[in-house]
Amino acid sequence: MFFVMGFGSKDEFLKNISFKCTNCLNEKFELYQVSNVFSFFFIPIFKFNKKFLIICKNCKSIYKLKNESLKKVLDSSWVTYDDIEEIIRNNNVCKNCGCMVDKSDKFCPNCGNKL
């Protein structure tokens, strides 16, 4: 008898939402559910270790939502700073054009604006 079982991760887009990014000040974000999945014959059986992340569409900064804030966020499509549990990644971008920059840059290599 041959069984194929396994563990993996799954990212599921839930909704477009609004939040003021602490990095680039953009307000357009996407809400994702990230979870580990147990599969049997490539069919997902159950999910565990669910996390809800919001990702900035401009600079790709990632914020983790508090689990108790999820229902409010899904209903209102708006996230406040009180709903954020932690900042996972905060990229450096030019506030003028959205181009990725190094922390050591004084001017944007794309548009030339002072950082």
Side-chain angles (χ1 to χ4, degrees):
M1 193 174 237
F2 183 76
F3 292 103
V4 178
M5 300 184 278
F7 292 97
S9 64
K10 180 172 171 98
D11 302 341
E12 183 179 346
F13 172 76
L14 298 177
K15 185 174 199 176
N16 288 314
I17 58 165
S18 297
F19 175 70
K20 190 154 195 159
C21 183
T22 58
N23 188 45
C24 69
L25 305 178
N26 179 41
E27 292 190 6
K28 295 180 180 175
F29 276 74
E30 294 176 335
L31 174 62
Y32 284 89
Q33 175 183 314
V34 179
S35 56
N36 292 333
V37 179
F38 175 73
S39 301
F40 183 70
F41 283 106
F42 306 105
I43 299 169
I45 303 298
F46 64 90
K47 297 177 186 178
F48 56 99
N49 291 341
K50 291 181 187 177
K51 291 188 266 183
F52 297 95
L53 306 176
I54 58 171
I55 302 172
C56 178
K57 287 185 176 183
N58 186 39
C59 70
K60 306 299 183 216
S61 292
I62 302 173
Y63 303 83
K64 182 179 177 188
L65 281 180
K66 294 177 182 174
N67 287 337
E68 59 269 13
S69 299
L70 180 64
K71 183 175 178 356
K72 180 190 82 101
V73 170
L74 288 173
D75 290 342
S76 67
S77 297
W78 182 258
V79 176
T80 63
Y81 294 113
D82 292 333
D83 298 324
I84 300 297
E85 185 173 320
E86 69 176 299
I87 298 173
I88 295 176
R89 185 174 67 206
N90 201 358
N91 295 325
N92 292 319
V93 296
C94 173
K95 292 186 185 336
N96 182 53
C97 69
C99 178
M100 298 291 285
V101 295
D102 286 334
K103 289 184 179 184
S104 61
D105 290 341
K106 295 185 190 237
F107 295 92
C108 176
N110 186 49
C111 70
N113 273 0
K114 188 174 181 178
L115 299 174

